[in-house]
Each structure stands twice: as structure tokens, then as C-alpha cells.
Amino acid sequence: MIYFLIAISLAYLIYTLNFTLKFNKTNIYFTKNQKVLQIILMWLIPFLWIIIIKTIIKPTPGSDHFIKKKDDDGSFKGGAYGHG
């Protein structure tokens, strides 16, 4: 029984410490107080809170398609609806 508790505690420590270090290196714009709160919550409820934070900091799928590119030279090209 004691080995099981040691294994669980070691897994908890490694998992939480690993994600805490990764979280501190991210370029997410949290204030200092928000980062401290996030780290405290990671250590209090680690597995659930880390899953929540991972989903928040993950980029939105397809968001790279919304990069503005200037293709339009401002001229009218005709067509049924004004383009094409």
C-alpha cells in the first residue's frame, strides 16, 4: 500500500511540476496575479485544472486562415456580385 501512495505522489509531483514549468514559459498574456493564481490552482487540483488550462491555451483550429492578406488592389472587377 505504501508503494502505491509513493507512486501516486511521485506521478502527481512530476506531472504538476512539468506542466507548471511549461506554463511559465508560454506567451499567454496573464497578469502576474493571474499566473500566481493559475499555479496555485494547478497544485491544489492538478489534473482537472491542467486539462482546463491546456484547452484554454491551445490555438483555435483554423485560426491561421484568418490572417489578413492584401490581395485587393481596389479596382472593380465586375461579375454578377461585384467580384470575380
Side-chain angles (χ1 to χ4, degrees):
M1 181 69 179
I2 191 78
Y3 294 116
F4 179 71
L5 291 175
I6 290 173
I8 294 290
S9 299
L10 191 61
Y12 162 78
L13 180 69
I14 291 171
Y15 184 73
T16 307
L17 185 62
N18 182 29
F19 188 76
T20 303
L21 293 174
K22 285 182 185 178
F23 179 75
N24 284 333
K25 292 179 183 178
T26 60
N27 291 331
I28 302 298
Y29 297 103
F30 286 120
T31 64
K32 184 178 179 182
N33 292 336
Q34 288 173 334
K35 271 197 169 185
V36 169
L37 179 65
Q38 299 296 331
I39 291 170
I40 290 170
L41 288 171
M42 278 184 233
W43 284 96
L44 291 178
I45 46 175
F47 301 109
L48 177 65
W49 197 255
I50 289 173
I51 290 170
I52 291 170
I53 293 296
K54 280 185 178 181
T55 57
I56 290 172
I57 64 174
K58 190 184 330 177
T60 306
S63 62
D64 59 335
H65 297 292
F66 297 111
I67 297 173
K68 291 192 174 197
K69 297 178 184 174
K70 187 167 183 168
D71 292 332
D72 189 16
D73 60 356
S75 63
F76 182 71
K77 296 182 181 160
Y81 295 103
H83 35 127

